[in-house]
Amino acid sequence: MTGQEANGIIAAILLALGVAAPVPEFTGGMLLALGAAYAVRAFRGAETRKGIVLSLFAGAFFALLAAGLHEATAGVWLWGQLSIQAQMAVSGGLSQSLAEGFVAFGGGLKDWLAKLPGGFGKGADR
């Protein structure tokens, strides 16, 4: 397999994921995002290897989302003026906070649903 074939396969996978960016730009952005996620985790104090792996996974996930939404957010205030690498790096750095926010929102939503008259959130507690 030549370098061009490998590049074509990677580009096809990225297109299947909704990312319309050149492979070198995406790769650079992903490396920056993973580095930012690791740096934020290091400053917060990574206690376990599992915590580091989860932080890197969240960084890669949110960086992939940012890459997929790059063209759709082109006209959005300051965010749209950033390059794809910068958007991916920022989303990787914020990934741990975003994941914690989603977990907190999910817990609050479950509590709110449990207080409704039908008790929608009590499915596992009955």
Side-chain angles (χ1 to χ4, degrees):
M1 180 182 299
T2 65
Q4 284 185 326
E5 291 172 347
N7 199 11
I9 291 171
I10 293 170
I13 292 170
L14 288 177
L15 283 175
L17 292 172
V19 177
V23 175
E25 289 183 12
F26 177 81
T27 305
M30 186 59 74
L31 290 174
L32 289 171
L34 292 175
Y38 185 80
V40 168
R41 182 65 185 187
F43 282 119
R44 285 186 167 193
E47 298 85 25
T48 63
R49 187 174 289 169
K50 182 180 176 182
I52 293 171
V53 171
L54 288 174
S55 293
L56 292 176
F57 176 77
F61 177 74
F62 284 108
L64 184 64
L65 284 179
L69 293 172
H70 175 68
E71 289 190 20
T73 60
V76 177
W77 187 57
L78 182 63
W79 180 259
Q81 297 175 2
L82 296 174
S83 66
I84 189 169
Q85 294 96 342
Q87 286 183 355
M88 291 174 73
V90 168
S91 63
L94 294 175
S95 63
Q96 187 173 358
S97 298
L98 290 170
E100 289 170 357
F102 286 140
V103 168
F105 175 75
L109 184 62
K110 182 181 174 187
D111 293 341
W112 179 75
L113 287 173
K115 293 178 185 176
L116 290 177
F120 292 109
K122 295 182 182 178
D125 298 334
R126 288 184 186 177

